[in-house]
Amino acid sequence: MQSLTIVHTSDVHLDSRAGDPPKEDGFRSRAERAFSGVMDVALAEDADLLLIAGDLFDNNRVDDSNIEFVYAQLARVSCPVAMIPGNHDVHDQRSVWNRFDFGACGNHVHGLMSHEGSTVDLPQIHARIWGKAMLEHAPENFPLEGVPDRHESWWNIGMAHGQVCERRIGWGSSPITSEEIRASGLDYLALGHVHVHADHSEGDTVAHYCGSPVAHYAGSEGGKVALVTLCPDNGVEVAHRQISQWGEERDAPSPHGAFNMVAGVPF
């Protein structure tokens, strides 16, 4: 297996109706500005893979201009992109994903839209990505149920959108248990739903919430993406890149000058 560099983001919550006052940079919202910043990081880091772990859109009523914005941003990168829906953009009959044309993004963009879970194989980077689409954000929805057996020659990467907990009972909707993470057999699990970064690694599986890249949605500890390095010799390492800062999103730092913080402090 070769070493991989992954950019992991989630909870962008694009919705052009929640706009800022007009800006000279042309973005209609903090979320648009932050998502463009995620693409900047993927380009600056020469990423091998971009993961979007749910809630790219804030709701299923967003107008098509938000979809067109995503097409334009994803066209900026050439690395494979994999994404799943979250609880805000659930994949039901009225879903925004029913209007999303993956072919319009290019053949490097993959949507994991099966409610039972599906995989995409990327032989060019020796990686298999698994994830499942959320039909309903409910206690009966188990985002990490059904992970397939490991591919022993490739990196095994998963995406799940929900709340990590010790037990399913009494923990609300879309629970992901610590034991499920431990037993998943995944090398890296890209988590979405929580807006600040957090480490939920169990056993041999490194699992992280990357947090929202929009600091306005998360406070002083938000506004980041996870930068994940998978190395055959050193294992999996997770760092973070700042995309936006609380109260300073209009003057967010360039990814080239953003600070780097090794993950490990739980939130």
Side-chain angles (χ1 to χ4, degrees), residues 7-178:
V7 172
H8 163 204
T9 193
S10 71
D11 298 277
V12 182
H13 293 282
L14 287 166
D15 184 354
S16 61
R17 299 174 302 173
D20 297 336
K23 306 292 191 311
E24 292 182 359
D25 60 15
F27 295 116
R28 299 176 296 176
S29 66
R30 297 179 175 94
E32 284 192 350
R33 191 174 297 105
F35 191 59
S36 178
V38 173
M39 300 304 108
D40 291 342
V41 170
L43 290 167
E45 298 291 343
D46 194 21
D48 299 297
L49 177 64
L50 170 62
L51 302 176
I52 304 174
D55 285 359
L56 175 58
F57 299 103
D58 186 63
N59 56 73
N60 284 328
R61 301 180 305 278
V62 298
D63 63 53
D64 288 348
S65 67
N66 296 273
I67 298 174
E68 296 292 337
F69 175 79
V70 172
Y71 292 163
Q73 291 299 315
L74 294 180
R76 296 175 55 201
V77 299
S78 58
C79 68
V81 180
M83 61 180 77
I84 59 172
N87 62 300
H88 278 252
D89 50 6
V90 293
H91 193 229
D92 59 14
Q93 291 182 343
R94 297 170 294 179
S95 177
V96 60
W97 296 107
N98 296 331
R99 294 182 274 137
F100 196 95
D101 181 1
F102 284 94
C105 299
N107 58 14
H108 66 301
V109 181
H110 308 274
L112 299 174
M113 296 292 153
S114 168
H115 299 142
E116 289 72 38
S118 57
T119 60
V120 57
D121 287 346
L122 301 172
Q124 68 272 34
I125 59 172
H126 300 100
R128 170 170 287 173
I129 320 298
W130 175 88
K132 62 196 304 185
M134 184 183 297
L135 176 63
E136 183 180 7
H137 186 47
E140 298 77 23
N141 176 52
F142 305 140
L144 206 56
E145 185 176 69
V147 180
D149 293 338
R150 282 182 57 83
H151 190 304
E152 291 301 334
S153 301
W154 290 1
W155 292 111
N156 294 266
I157 300 164
M159 292 190 289
H161 193 93
Q163 182 66 51
V164 174
C165 57
E166 287 302 314
R167 297 185 303 162
R168 288 176 177 172
I169 299 173
W171 277 91
S173 298
S174 303
I176 301 166
T177 69
S178 299

Side-chain angles (χ1 to χ4, degrees), residues 144 147-148 177-186 202-205:
L144 206 56
V147 180
T177 69
S178 299
E179 181 54 34
E180 286 176 319
I181 296 173
R182 183 187 303 275
S184 68
L186 298 168
E202 296 286 345
D204 294 330
T205 298

